[in-house]
Amino acid sequence: MAEYMQVGRALFDEVMVPNYAPAPMIPVRGQGSRVWDQQGREYVDFAGGIAVNALGHCHPALVSALKHQADQLWHLSNVMTNEPALRLAKKLVDATFAEKVYFANSGAEANEAALKLARRWALENFGEQKQQIISFGKSFHGRTFFTVTVGGQASYSDGFGPKPAAIDHAQYNDLDSLKALMSDHTCAVILEPVQGEGGIIPADAAFLRGVRQLCDQHKALLIYDEVQTGVGRTGKLYAYMHSDVTPDILTTAKSLGGGFPVGAMLTTTAIASHLKVGTHGSTYGGNPLACAVAEAALDTINTPEVLQGVLQREQWFRRELAAINEQYQLFSEIRGQGMLLGAVLTEQYKGRSREFFLAAADQGLLALVAGPDVIRFAPSLVIPEQDIIEGMQRFAKAVAQVLNQH
Ligand SMILES: Cc1ncc(COP(=O)(O)O)c(C=O)c1O
């Protein structure tokens, strides 16, 4: 074993760009839905690396796939293709509406590809006037300059100079606001079937049907950003499968690699044909290590047992949260689907999600926020019931801790 230098949280402030504010502790090991920090303190993990560790930490199937591939081949670039990428693409095509796959390394990159493809598709089919991209208030699509400008929070894209143009925002779950913006100049509408960062807000079924209809009417592409909702998180392989609406382009990342960075854009053959050789690319996209792990994750998650288990776990989460709410009257509702849940704080506690999140960490529970008013849970899709119960006991203590301070 190599001798590593000793490092601590203080070093972050010394050597890292200050765009993050990480927690005081540094986790060093994880197993299933438990994590241990440098001091050996144990945490129950309801955060899942922000909806990424879909099979918990160090799942044997993923570890085995990674170790196997590590002994075979790490990287080629896209001058050549590779077996894990081809296998993963075939499985994604077989499991979804899609006929073609483009691999990226993150959610933002998958969305960047989707948006560039939509623009190219519109340009080649209809001409230069068809450029408008519409997304929704509070949406989040990544941090590249294109995706962050498409996202629904201007504060994230302000302050970096001139923004990509022809991007408009409608109100989520408000079809009239979309109708008012749409015309034959619209090239694509992009939406999250459940808004994640925006506060765990599910789209109404009627809204989704209406968006599809408007896209068809104006010959615009419908892009589903399933970076957070995809790969089993809502109890279906992809959230679009809960309804009768099928997108033209779908993006996926986060849970796709179960913790290994990988993203993908899925679409049809006709649409994909507009990204001809040389029009787009990535050195690492389709990396063999990433695709080998993602293949193992997809094989493990896309089974009736795991997908139904997600819905069972949702019931366990809701049961435990209801018991806490009975005692403290803290939440106005529990929103979301499957293992993507948001506990919405009542008027009295609005704006204080971060306090509950910090108190939870104090009590040995990793949770998340989704804006100032929502505590978010995005754990492993296979988290055991006992870990849910124990995590919720810690969460109840955290709630008591916050309330006792006031
Ligand atoms: C819906 C959605 N799209 C895109 C992204 C960006 O993904 P990444 O951080 O991997 O670039 C996120 C990340 O939170 C997301 O939730």
Side-chain angles (χ1 to χ4, degrees), residues 106-109 111 140-142 192 197 225 227-228 253-254:
S106 66
E109 281 184 37
N111 283 331
F140 186 80
H141 300 295
E192 299 158 81
E197 305 301 304
D225 176 346
V227 167
Q228 193 151 163
K254 288 192 183 274

Side-chain angles (χ1 to χ4, degrees), residues 181-205:
L181 286 175
M182 266 186 106
S183 72
D184 290 348
H185 293 210
T186 308
C187 129
V189 175
I190 181 168
L191 62 82
E192 299 158 81
V194 179
Q195 285 196 332
E197 305 301 304
I200 314 295
I201 305 169
D204 303 333

